Amino acid sequence: PSLLSSFLLLPSAAPPLLLVAWTLTFELYFYLVFAVLLCAVPRHRLGGVLLGWAAVIVAGRLWLAPPFSPVIDLLFNPLNLEFIAGCLIALWGPRGSKAAGPALIALGIAGGVLFLRHFGMNAPFTSIWLRVAVMGGASALVLMGAVAWEMPGITWVPRPLRRLGDASYSLYLSHLLTIGAVGLVWRHALRLMPAA
C-alpha cells in the first residue's frame, strides 16, 4: 500500500492500509464535487444536474477502454451512481406517507434477497454494473422507505439506536481491526483452556 495515498485518500492502484478505507476515497471525491454543485447550482436545478452527472459517468465508463487509471476509475466508476441516487432521494424522496416506508424497505430487501438467492452471493461482484443495479437499487429502495418512515414527528427512534446510527461509520472503519483483535484474544483463550 502507498502511505501517501492511504493517508490523503488519493486514488491508487494499490489498496489502502486500512482496506475498508477505499470507500473514503469515493466519499471524499463525491463530497468535493457535490459541495461545488451546491455552491454553483440553484437548488431547483440540482436534480437535473445530478442526473446529467450520472449520464456522464455512464457514458464515460462505456466509452473509455479498460484498464482504467486509478483517477479515471474514480471519476467514471458506477459506484458514484449510488451516491447520486442518495442525493436524488434526499431531493425527491417520498414525503408525508409513512405507510410507504415499510413497503419500500420490504421491497428493497426482498428484491436483493431474491436476486442473491437465484443468482448466488457472488453474482453482484462479477460486474460493477450488476453490483450497482442490484445492491444499489435495493439499497435505494430501503433508503427511500427509511426517509418516508422516519419523517420528523412521525417515527420515534429509541436513543440507543440513534447513538448506534451516529457511530455506524466509525464501527464500519474499525470492524476489521476489532474482529482481528477479538480473534487473537479468542485464540489465546482457547489455548489456555484445559483439554477435555
Side-chain angles (χ1 to χ4, degrees):
S2 162
L3 285 175
L4 185 65
S5 295
S6 293
F7 283 109
L8 298 180
L9 301 172
L10 300 173
S12 173
L17 286 172
L18 179 60
L19 287 177
V20 295
W22 68 269
T23 62
L24 291 176
T25 302
F26 279 91
E27 289 189 39
L28 189 64
Y29 162 66
F30 178 81
Y31 292 136
L32 177 67
V33 173
F34 192 63
V36 170
L37 291 179
L38 284 175
C39 293
V41 177
R43 184 171 172 84
H44 68 278
R45 295 184 186 216
L46 195 53
V49 171
L50 287 169
L51 289 174
W53 183 15
V56 168
I57 291 169
V58 171
R61 189 66 173 213
L62 294 175
W63 181 66
L64 296 167
F68 305 113
S69 72
V71 172
I72 294 297
D73 186 44
L74 177 68
L75 295 177
F76 297 104
N77 198 303
L79 290 174
N80 291 308
L81 300 174
E82 294 178 354
F83 288 102
I84 292 171
C87 289
L88 291 173
I89 290 167
L91 285 172
W92 299 334
R95 304 210 193 307
S97 173
K98 184 179 177 181
L104 288 168
I105 292 170
L107 184 61
I109 292 171
V113 168
L114 287 174
F115 178 89
L116 294 175
R117 183 172 166 83
H118 184 72
F119 292 102
M121 292 295 287
N122 292 328
F125 303 102
T126 58
S127 160
I128 190 73
W129 293 107
L130 193 58
R131 181 204 183 280
V132 169
V134 174
M135 306 311 283
S139 298
L141 286 170
V142 169
L143 180 60
M144 282 176 33
V147 167
W149 200 13
E150 195 180 57
M151 290 185 60
I154 294 180
T155 302
W156 177 79
V157 178
R159 180 173 287 171
L161 290 180
R162 288 194 309 245
R163 294 267 167 99
L164 187 61
D166 291 341
S168 63
Y169 204 74
S170 298
L171 294 172
Y172 166 70
L173 289 177
S174 63
H175 80 277
L176 289 178
L177 301 172
T178 304
I179 290 171
V182 169
L184 286 173
V185 169
W186 183 256
R187 188 179 334 157
H188 289 298
L190 289 176
R191 286 183 187 156
L192 296 174
M193 292 177 68

